[in-house]
């Protein structure tokens, strides 16, 4: 190896070397160690996670069949399926989407377009940032106290509606933050143009800003929902059941039905000592992961399309 | 007569009849509605604080605070109950420390690699992959910890319990690595290129530029991501409830079953606990402790970002 | 293209550019530049935007290496050594040929650490406090900041930030200082201060400065290189050196028609 720094250390050159001792070979050695460590970290992190995911796929793939998807959970592993948890997850997800999308987007628009840079905005912003860092199980305690107990007449206790409301509060901060970022990405000149045509602020938001921000908002909402349907702890705390051998009726009454969701069913099966149940858990994990991957795929697709058209 | 203008009439005025009154009314209704939506977030905070305080007061009516702080066992469900919260805190502390020891080097180096070393094409694929992994439900990580990692560890050291803090902490660390990596990468990537150029122009190597200029410039974002990861680790429930056990033990031994604060809440919630019972109020007391810890972390993070955030242009 | 540098006769040369072509990807950005830069002089690069003067400047300390698509043909000799030789390490080169950028880019560190950073990584074994003070004095910033060396470099005004960046470059005791439009982001008073500074630094350093401002070139420089751009067949633009000579000659009796028109403000 040639010493790189020798090129200029020629006697003919009268350099003010004086007190500088750059020692490049040593510095480059540390450089290459550092670079190696960086790549190693990425490779380790990704490979550990992929190995774990592949392991669970191998364990669970043999479980996936029509009978597994269309049966109710059972004490006998051979008969057990995940019909009611899947339906419960869909119920909860749809309800959470119905509640959280309008509320989150409305709140985001209010903060970003109507009271930006005010004291109130500052207070709410700090508050939302705080909420986003509160552990999910604390939301469970909130749901247990407020929705299950204090609002019992409305929710009938440990029901789908209680679970959905709890998860709504959990994902709201994420949706609000995503909405605000998407709105902020719309150039101010667009708003100016709207105002210059005599539109009110709301008309500017509704007709100019919101349509442009929509892909970003949808991306954030889908990611928030996918976080919501993976949550287990808050629903355990408000008392979602693990054996639900019926489907909630597709009506308003369904809201007052007890329920289970996929993560809870997985938790229940993992917690049992028998290996047959662990395989069931692996099967349910595959279903849950496919659902999440699909949602993330949609979100990434939206984001990429959004970036190109901009 | 919403259309009457302050200004003199113009030709073709009859063609222009904007209903400004309605527009204004719609806007007012919308603003009020959206303001209520925004206040739901404030109400959520109040709801959390109130519901925690309410039951925690009930708990401390029956259990004196000094016993909560000084007992060296946590057995509120036994006939001779003990209420030492530090038993649960020690377990939470243990799993969180193990997790951070794993996640900090992996996450930070990954972030540096993605932002500074990886070619743009690689970064374009790895970044969404990281975000995807950050979204894997923690119950799935719990499965990994109990059914894959623990057996692996026990094949080397059979004397370790089937439930232990070590494998829960390790998997917890793996689970928060993508979070640290993704958020730190955002902060590092956002450092203006002019700073990197300034450093290269002084004869710095790439590593010297990263360590000496880029990372310090991104410090507030990096620290915020680490604190968020810590508070995730502290509040994480499913991994520890599944893999660490539910056996409250004071101490920092990673090889025995332990119960974290969150695991205790899950344990009680799974049973049929009547509202108002001591067990019921105890999960709120534990929840309040957990909430205060994460709130403190949050405040530190906030203070740090405010204090050290650099504004470029 | 013999006229490029033939009219200037020099006994001693610090930097010498020979048949320099710069490419971005497959397109030629600057072609066939020949310039000799004498020691302890200020050389100005002027010309309309897109003529490649900054590109050429960034070749002189190989900052262009950081752009993956950039490629250089021809030679640049620094004290007779080709800086694009395979054995040359750009990191080593940049210590000797410092650079000041268009927008002030102090590091988000204290004023002291902004200056000490380069010295530390380059293994400076002398008294650091002394080096910081000397550098700040040379950059005419010492009196303004001597009581607040712990303050962030970002807290200074734009003009002060730029002088801090100059101090940062001086601290490495370089041979040459490259300045890429150092005043374009500054107000007139700060500009004047930086120009005064350039005059003082001339005694110790060779300075190459890119500027948009012809008055500035005539005020600060001893030699001036005028670049221009012409359209290519592919629809792009390629820069080239029109004329290089003593500054008063470029401004008062240039040999080329294009130079005459540019310096008299008829285009550009």
């Amino acid at each position: 190896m040639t010493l790189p720094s020798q090129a200029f250390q020629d006697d003919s050159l009268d350099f003010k070397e004086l007190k500088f001792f750059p020692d490049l070979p040593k510095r480059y050695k540390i450089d290459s160690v550092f670079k190696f460590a960086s790549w190693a970290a990425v490779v380790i992190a990704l490979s550990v996670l992929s190995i774990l995911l592949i392991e669970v796929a191998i364990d669970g793939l043999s479980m996936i069949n029509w009978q597994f998807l269309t049966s109710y959970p059972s004490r006998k592993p051979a008969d057990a399926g995940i019909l009611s948890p899947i339906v419960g997850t869909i119920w909860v997800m749809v309800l959470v989407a119905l509640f959280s999308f309008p509320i989150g987007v409305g709140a985001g628009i209010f903060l970003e377009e109507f009271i930006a840079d005010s004291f109130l905005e500052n207070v709410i912003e700090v508050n939302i940032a705080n909420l986003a860092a509160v552990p999910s199980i604390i939301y469970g305690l909130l749901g247990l106290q407020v929705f299950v107990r204090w609002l019992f007449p409305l929710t009938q206790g440990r029901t789908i509606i209680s679970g959905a409301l709890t998860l709504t509060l959990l994902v709201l901060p994420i949706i609000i933050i995503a909405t605000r970022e998407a709105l902020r990405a719309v150039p101010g000149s667009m708003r100016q143009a709207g105002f210059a045509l005599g539109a009110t602020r709301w008309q500017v938001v509704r007709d100019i800003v919101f349509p442009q921000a929509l892909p970003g908002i949808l991306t954030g909402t889908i990611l928030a929902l996918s976080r919501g349907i993976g949550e287990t702890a808050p629903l355990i705390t408000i008392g979602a059941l693990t054996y639900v051998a019926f489907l909630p009726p597709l009506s308003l009454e369904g809201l007052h039905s007890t329920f289970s969701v996929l993560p809870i069913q997985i938790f229940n099966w993992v917690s049992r000592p028998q290996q047959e149940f662990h395989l069931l858990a692996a099967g349910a994990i595959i279903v849950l992961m496919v659902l999440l991957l699909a949602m993330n795929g949609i979100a990434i697709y939206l984001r990429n399309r959004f970036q190109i058209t901009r | 007569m919403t259309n009457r203008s302050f200004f003199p009439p113009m030709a073709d005025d009859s063609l222009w009849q904007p209903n400004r009154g309605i527009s204004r009314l719609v806007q007012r209704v919308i603003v009020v509605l959206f303001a209520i939506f925004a206040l739901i977030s404030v109400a959520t905070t109040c709801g959390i604080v109130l519901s925690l305080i309410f039951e925690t007061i009930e708990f401390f009516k029956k259990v004196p605070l000094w016993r909560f702080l000084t007992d060296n066992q946590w057995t509120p469900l036994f006939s001779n109950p003990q209420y030492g919260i530090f038993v649960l805190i020690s377990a939470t502390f243990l799993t969180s420390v193990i997790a951070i020891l794993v996640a900090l080097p992996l996450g930070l180096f990954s972030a540096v690699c993605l932002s500074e070393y990886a070619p743009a094409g690689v970064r374009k694929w790895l970044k969404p992959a990281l975000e995807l992994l950050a979204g894997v439900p923690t119950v799935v990580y719990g499965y990994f910890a109990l059914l894959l990692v623990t057996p692996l560890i026990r094949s080397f050291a059979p004397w370790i319990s089937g439930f232990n803090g070590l494998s829960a902490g390790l998997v917890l660390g793996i689970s928060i690595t993508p979070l640290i990596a993704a958020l730190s990468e955002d902060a590092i990537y956002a450092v203006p290129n002019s700073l990197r150029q300034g450093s290269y122009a002084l004869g710095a190597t790439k590593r010297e530029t990263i360590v000496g200029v880029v990372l310090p410039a991104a410090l507030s974002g990096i620290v915020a991501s680490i604190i968020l990861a810590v508070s995730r680790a502290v509040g994480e429930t499913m991994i520890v409830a599944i893999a660490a056990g539910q056996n409250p033990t004071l101490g920092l031994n990673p090889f025995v079953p332990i119960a974290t604060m969150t695991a205790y809440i899950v344990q009680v919630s799974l049973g049929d606990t009547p509202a108002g019972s001591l067990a019921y109020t105890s999960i709120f007391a534990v929840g309040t402790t957990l909430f205060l810890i994460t709130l403190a972390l949050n405040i530190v993070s906030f203070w740090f970002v405010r204090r050290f955030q650099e504004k470029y242009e | 293209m013999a006229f490029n540098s033939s009219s200037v006769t020099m006994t001693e040369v610090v930097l010498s550019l020979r048949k320099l072509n710069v490419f971005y990807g497959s397109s030629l950005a600057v072609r066939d530049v020949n310039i000799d830069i004498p020691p302890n002089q200020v050389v100005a690069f002027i010309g309309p935007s897109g003529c490649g003067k900054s590109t050429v400047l960034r070749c002189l300390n190989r900052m262009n290496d950081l752009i993956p698509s950039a490629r250089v043909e021809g030679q640049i000799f620094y004290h007779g050594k080709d800086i694009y030789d395979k054995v040359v390490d750009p990191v080593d080169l940049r210590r000797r040929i410092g650079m000041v950028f268009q927008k002030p880019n102090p590091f988000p560190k204290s004023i002291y650490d902004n200056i000490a950073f380069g010295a530390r990584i380059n293994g400076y074994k002398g008294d650091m406090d002394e080096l910081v003070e000397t550098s700040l004095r040379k950059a005419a910033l010492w009196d303004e900041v001597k009581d607040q060396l712990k303050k962030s470099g970002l807290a200074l005004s734009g003009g002060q930030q730029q002088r801090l960046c100059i101090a940062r470059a001086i601290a490495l005791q370089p041979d040459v200082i490259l300045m890429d439009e150092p005043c374009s982001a500054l107000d007139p008073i700060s500009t004047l201060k930086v120009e005064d500074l350039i005059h003082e630094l001339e005694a110790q350093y060779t300075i190459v400065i890119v500027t948009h401002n012809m008055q500035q070139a005539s005020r600060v420089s001893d030699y001036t290189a005028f670049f221009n751009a012409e359209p290519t067949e592919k629809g792009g633009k390629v820069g080239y050196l029109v004329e290089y000579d003593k500054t008063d000659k470029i401004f008062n009796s240039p040999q080329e028609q294009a130079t005459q028109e540019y310096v008299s403000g008829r285009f550009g």
Side-chain angles (χ1 to χ4, degrees):
Chain A
M1 184 184 136
T2 50
L3 289 181
S5 58
Q6 270 177 354
F8 299 121
Q9 280 162 5
D10 197 301
D11 293 340
S12 64
L13 300 180
D14 174 23
F15 262 119
K16 307 154 191 163
E17 273 313 306
L18 293 173
K19 294 165 183 164
F20 285 100
F21 302 95
D23 194 4
L24 278 167
K26 186 180 159 205
R27 286 159 65 193
Y28 278 121
K29 209 167 280 170
I30 307 177
D31 262 53
S32 41
V33 171
F34 188 78
K35 184 175 179 179
F36 177 79
S38 306
W39 279 106
V42 172
V43 171
I44 291 173
L46 288 180
S47 54
V48 167
L49 286 164
S50 351
I51 288 169
L52 294 177
L53 287 172
I54 291 168
E55 282 276 341
V56 75
I58 293 170
D59 286 355
L61 217 48
S62 61
M63 300 306 302
I64 306 281
N65 54 39
W66 191 244
Q67 189 248 331
F68 180 66
L69 295 176
T70 55
S71 305
Y72 293 108
S74 159
R75 283 172 211 284
K76 280 176 277 175
D79 301 340
I82 52 170
L83 180 60
S84 52
I86 289 182
V87 173
T89 290
I90 292 171
W91 263 93
V92 170
M93 185 169 73
V94 169
L95 286 176
V96 170
L98 284 179
F99 296 142
S100 64
F101 184 74
I103 297 178
V105 173
I109 288 177
F110 179 71
L111 294 174
E112 198 59 33
E113 302 290 334
F114 287 101
I115 60 161
D117 298 323
S118 68
F119 174 73
L120 182 63
E121 189 229 0
N122 229 319
V123 171
I124 298 180
E125 185 176 357
V126 170
N127 176 56
I128 289 172
N130 254 315
L131 281 179
V134 169
S136 59
I137 197 162
I138 301 281
Y139 283 93
L141 292 176
L142 168 75
L144 175 62
Q145 189 74 340
V146 174
F147 299 129
V148 176
R149 286 195 61 206
W150 292 346
L151 295 179
F152 184 85
L154 289 175
T155 61
Q156 302 297 312
R158 304 164 186 262
T159 54
I160 288 181
I161 184 80
S162 294
L165 287 172
T166 306
L167 288 183
T168 297
L169 294 185
L170 178 78
V171 301
L172 258 185
I174 314 176
I175 296 181
I176 296 176
I177 291 171
T179 301
R180 298 190 59 185
E181 271 169 17
L183 292 172
R184 227 172 285 155
V186 177
S189 58
M190 298 279 174
R191 298 182 181 83
Q192 304 293 326
F195 289 129
L197 293 173
T200 64
R201 193 168 273 277
W202 167 239
Q203 287 166 332
V204 168
V205 170
R206 188 193 58 198
D207 296 334
I208 301 173
V209 181
F210 182 70
Q212 287 207 48
L214 189 59
I217 294 173
L218 284 178
T219 306
T221 306
I222 294 171
L223 291 178
L225 288 180
S226 74
R227 159 118 195 256
I229 62 166
E231 277 296 347
T232 321
L235 295 182
I236 291 180
T237 316
I238 67 160
L241 299 178
T242 41
Y243 282 115
V244 178
F246 61 90
L247 298 182
L250 265 179
S251 64
L252 278 181
E253 257 153 66
L255 295 177
H256 288 155
S257 158
T258 52
F259 70 110
S260 176
V261 291
L262 279 171
I264 299 237
Q265 192 60 54
I266 294 168
F267 171 63
N268 179 270
W269 280 334
V270 169
S271 309
R272 288 160 173 274
Q274 299 91 332
Q275 226 219 315
E276 294 87 342
F277 285 111
H278 296 164
L279 292 177
L280 290 171
I285 286 176
I286 293 176
V287 173
L288 180 64
M289 289 303 294
V290 167
L291 192 60
L292 287 178
L293 271 175
M295 291 174 73
N296 274 276
I298 295 170
I300 291 171
Y301 167 77
L302 277 173
R303 178 161 63 187
N304 287 348
R305 233 189 70 164
F306 173 57
Q307 276 168 348
I308 292 164
T309 52
R310 225 168 31 119
Chain B
M1 291 305 277
T2 51
N3 198 23
R4 196 187 311 148
S5 174
F6 167 77
F7 301 105
M10 289 168 30
D12 293 339
D13 253 6
S14 58
L15 291 177
W16 300 89
Q17 301 191 344
N19 206 333
R20 302 236 189 267
I22 295 273
S23 306
R24 232 168 277 151
L25 186 69
V26 168
Q27 168 153 327
R28 201 159 299 163
V29 171
I30 290 284
V31 167
V32 170
L33 185 67
F34 284 6
I36 292 170
F37 288 169
L39 289 175
I40 286 180
S41 75
V42 179
T44 306
T45 306
C46 298
I48 288 174
V49 172
L50 283 180
S51 53
L52 286 178
I53 287 181
F54 195 76
E55 296 295 333
T56 304
I57 289 175
E58 291 298 312
F59 175 79
F60 282 117
K61 274 181 189 163
K62 291 173 198 148
V63 178
L65 182 63
W66 60 269
R67 288 200 60 190
F68 191 65
L69 296 176
T70 58
D71 277 7
N72 57 12
Q73 283 185 43
W74 176 266
T75 53
L77 310 179
F78 287 13
S79 53
N80 174 26
Q82 304 263 325
Y83 303 99
I85 186 68
F86 281 101
V87 175
L88 301 182
I89 292 180
S90 74
T92 296
F93 180 78
L94 173 69
T95 50
S96 303
V97 166
I98 296 174
I100 287 300
L101 288 180
V102 172
L104 199 60
L106 279 184
L108 273 188
F109 272 113
S110 298
V112 166
C113 182
L114 284 191
S115 171
E116 307 293 314
Y117 287 111
V122 176
R123 179 177 183 273
K124 207 183 118 198
W125 284 103
L126 287 186
K127 197 75 202 292
L130 271 184
E131 283 162 1
L132 199 65
L133 289 171
V136 173
T138 53
V139 68
V140 177
Y141 284 107
Y143 176 97
F144 295 154
L146 182 68
L147 300 179
L148 299 174
V149 176
T150 299
L152 185 70
I153 293 177
R154 270 159 58 94
S155 68
F156 295 112
W159 45 271
I160 295 178
S161 312
F163 296 105
N164 61 74
L166 180 64
S167 63
L170 289 176
V171 173
L172 186 54
I174 291 287
S175 79
I176 59 176
T177 297
L179 182 77
I180 295 188
L183 293 181
S184 296
E185 204 271 348
D186 287 341
I188 295 171
Y189 197 73
V191 172
N193 240 332
S194 64
L195 291 184
R196 293 186 185 86
Q197 300 220 349
S199 171
Y200 285 130
L202 293 173
T205 65
K206 186 154 194 167
R207 183 244 335 158
E208 286 159 352
T209 300
I210 295 169
V211 176
V213 174
V214 177
L215 292 184
L219 188 66
S220 68
I222 293 174
V223 170
S225 82
I226 294 169
I227 295 179
L228 184 64
V230 172
S231 91
R232 264 295 156 75
V234 169
E236 167 43 40
T237 309
M238 298 323 293
I239 300 174
V240 288
I242 292 173
Q246 302 190 330
N247 182 19
T249 321
L250 184 64
L252 298 175
N253 183 348
F255 306 123
V256 296
I258 50 177
T260 63
M261 293 187 275
T262 50
Y264 173 74
I265 297 176
V266 165
Q267 188 192 357
V268 172
S269 303
L270 286 173
D272 202 11
T273 358
S277 67
L278 188 63
Y280 183 87
T281 56
S282 74
I283 62 174
F284 284 88
V286 173
T288 304
T289 314
L290 179 63
F291 181 71
L292 289 178
I293 292 174
T294 52
L295 186 68
L297 284 168
N298 224 346
I299 290 171
V300 170
S301 165
F302 237 81
W303 170 82
F304 197 92
V305 170
R306 287 264 156 109
R307 171 85 175 64
F308 289 100
Q309 194 167 39
E310 304 292 350
K311 291 259 192 295
Y312 308 97
E313 284 304 280
Chain C
M1 297 281 170
F3 61 83
N4 267 345
S5 62
S6 60
S7 58
V8 183
T9 47
M10 291 167 189
T11 48
E12 204 187 338
V13 177
V14 174
L15 280 163
S16 140
L17 290 68
R18 286 287 168 268
K19 293 187 178 163
L20 186 73
N21 293 325
V22 189
F23 297 83
Y24 288 122
S26 60
S27 65
L28 183 60
V30 189
R31 67 164 159 81
D32 197 29
V33 177
N34 295 282
I35 295 177
D36 284 336
I37 293 169
N40 297 72
Q41 302 283 322
V42 177
V43 175
F45 290 0
I46 62 170
S49 15
C51 68
K53 51 195 190 302
S54 286
T55 301
V56 172
L57 188 81
R58 281 162 173 268
C59 290
L60 299 182
N61 66 345
R62 293 187 53 175
M63 286 301 278
N64 274 351
D65 288 21
L66 302 173
I67 305 167
S69 68
R71 187 163 55 82
V72 168
E73 278 177 3
Q75 288 98 34
I76 298 174
F77 294 102
Y78 171 60
H79 290 292
K81 303 269 182 179
D82 185 356
I83 65 169
Y84 279 91
D85 194 305
K86 279 205 168 52
V87 301
V88 170
D89 181 355
V91 171
D92 182 36
L93 176 73
R94 290 178 198 136
R95 215 220 90 204
R96 295 149 203 273
I97 305 184
M99 186 161 196
V100 176
F101 295 82
Q102 192 168 0
K103 259 177 26 191
N105 57 349
F107 303 130
K109 300 169 180 291
S110 70
I111 293 170
Y112 185 99
D113 284 336
N114 257 282
I115 292 168
F117 172 73
R120 275 194 205 118
I121 57 168
N122 284 294
Y124 180 68
K125 294 286 186 287
D127 183 348
M128 192 65 80
D129 293 351
E130 194 186 302
L131 180 74
V132 170
E133 178 174 344
T134 325
S135 312
L136 283 170
R137 275 191 196 284
K138 280 191 191 162
L141 192 59
W142 175 252
D143 291 331
E144 291 161 60
V145 302
K146 64 184 171 198
D147 299 324
Q148 38 184 344
L149 294 176
K150 291 273 166 284
K151 216 165 93 172
S152 166
L154 289 169
L156 298 172
S157 74
Q160 288 174 325
Q161 286 188 3
Q162 194 62 303
R163 276 179 284 146
L164 178 63
C165 291
I166 294 175
R168 186 171 79 184
I170 293 173
L172 293 178
Q173 300 170 359
D175 192 26
V176 181
I177 301 175
L178 310 177
M179 299 187 172
D180 189 359
E181 300 190 37
C183 302
S184 64
L186 304 185
D187 61 85
I189 293 175
S190 304
T191 300
L192 204 65
K193 282 191 182 160
V194 172
E195 285 180 11
D196 287 344
L197 181 56
I198 292 173
H199 275 302
E200 282 170 32
L201 296 176
E202 196 177 349
Q204 282 178 298
Y205 310 97
T206 306
I207 294 171
V208 185
I209 176 171
V210 165
T211 173
H212 245 90
N213 178 331
M214 277 176 292
Q215 282 75 34
Q216 185 170 59
S218 67
R219 281 195 299 263
V220 301
S221 70
D222 305 296
Y223 290 84
T224 297
F226 170 57
F227 290 80
N228 203 351
E230 59 185 16
T232 59
E233 287 145 24
K234 285 186 223 159
K237 272 204 298 189
V238 58
Y240 63 101
L241 176 67
V242 178
E243 195 171 355
Y244 173 55
D245 212 325
K246 287 222 154 80
T247 297
D248 57 356
K249 247 189 124 187
I250 291 281
F251 278 88
N252 299 320
S253 53
Q255 297 191 328
E256 298 289 315
Q257 178 80 25
T259 316
Q260 173 68 41
E261 285 176 4
Y262 187 75
V263 297
S264 59
R266 243 171 278 166
F267 82 95

